[in-house]
Amino acid sequence: MALRIALGKRYASFRFHWTNSEIDIGDGAQIRSFSLFPAKQSAFRLGKNSIFSGYLSLEREAARVSIGERTYVGKSLLAASRLIEIGSDVLISWNVTIVDHHSHALDFSQRSVDVLHWLSGKKDWTHVSVAPVEICDKVWIGFGAAILPGVRIGEGAIVGACSVVTHDVPPWTVVAGNPARPIKELPRAERQ
């Protein structure tokens, strides 16, 4: 495991420097993934004592993903075209998808050439809806959840497994379902 962790950091540094992008890996942090895909001049920050085991796709220039301290990201997908911010003391299970964009235009005539553009190594973002995602401190996201563009998950909130989060989640609230809805407020004793 120690060799894999050392190789993960070296590989991450190589991938980001190769695309003229920024990477900041905090002390004691571990990158346990070789699925890192930065766009030119993008940025990835992993805070102290955090673990990243997921798939990272920074999909266009200047895209950023920032992860706080003591945070765990399991085998999940983070796809950013602008900004995904994840706080400290956050737990993100496996198979979670967090995206800050809708990938394609709603109008077929505007997305009809997407595959042809990909074949030529480009993507037209002109008609794609983009909105930053913020996941505050102390959040727990269960396996298989999807966090969609423009969502803010408040401090200490819990997202149930396989939920689809389409709207902001209040602090210290449990949400679940598709679309995710509040099902419980957490008592003050659990907020520490």
Side-chain angles (χ1 to χ4, degrees):
M1 182 61 121
L3 178 60
R4 180 176 172 81
I5 292 166
L7 287 175
K9 279 188 177 182
R10 289 180 59 89
Y11 175 76
S13 294
F14 170 77
R15 288 286 295 178
F16 277 78
H17 291 358
W18 183 65
T19 58
N20 196 26
S21 297
E22 296 177 28
I23 187 165
D24 179 11
I25 304 170
D27 293 338
Q30 298 178 3
I31 294 179
R32 299 179 179 177
S33 173
F34 292 96
S35 298
L36 307 170
F37 302 96
K40 292 178 181 176
Q41 300 174 343
S42 56
F44 177 55
R45 179 186 164 278
L46 183 63
K48 293 192 302 187
N49 300 310
S50 289
I51 299 171
F52 183 81
S53 296
Y55 180 101
L56 177 69
S57 183
L58 295 164
E59 302 198 329
R60 66 178 178 170
E61 286 186 22
R64 294 183 300 130
V65 170
S66 177
I67 299 172
E69 299 179 0
R70 300 170 307 281
T71 291
Y72 174 80
V73 179
K75 292 185 183 342
S76 294
L77 166 64
L78 277 58
S81 70
R82 183 181 300 154
L83 176 64
I84 295 174
E85 288 185 294
I86 300 170
S88 296
D89 302 304
V90 173
L91 298 172
I92 299 174
S93 188
W94 48 272
N95 205 28
V96 172
T97 300
I98 302 170
V99 293
D100 72 349
H101 58 86
H102 289 291
S103 298
H104 307 281
L106 293 178
D107 184 330
F108 174 74
S109 66
Q110 295 169 340
R111 70 174 185 271
S112 64
V113 293
D114 282 358
V115 174
L116 295 175
H117 283 173
W118 294 340
L119 287 170
S120 65
K122 59 185 174 180
K123 165 111 174 133
D124 181 5
W125 290 92
T126 309
H127 303 287
V128 178
S129 176
V130 177
V133 172
E134 181 183 7
I135 299 171
C136 296
D137 297 344
K138 303 173 186 169
V139 168
W140 173 22
I141 301 175
F143 73 89
I147 313 301
L148 299 184
V151 167
R152 181 180 191 274
I153 301 178
E155 181 180 34
I158 297 174
V159 175
C162 299
S163 296
V164 178
V165 182
T166 59
H167 293 90
D168 290 354
V169 176
W172 305 104
T173 301
V174 179
V175 297
N178 180 4
R181 300 185 198 300
I183 60 172
K184 178 181 180 179
E185 284 189 34
L186 297 170
R188 290 195 183 274
E190 294 180 21
R191 296 182 185 192
Q192 298 176 16

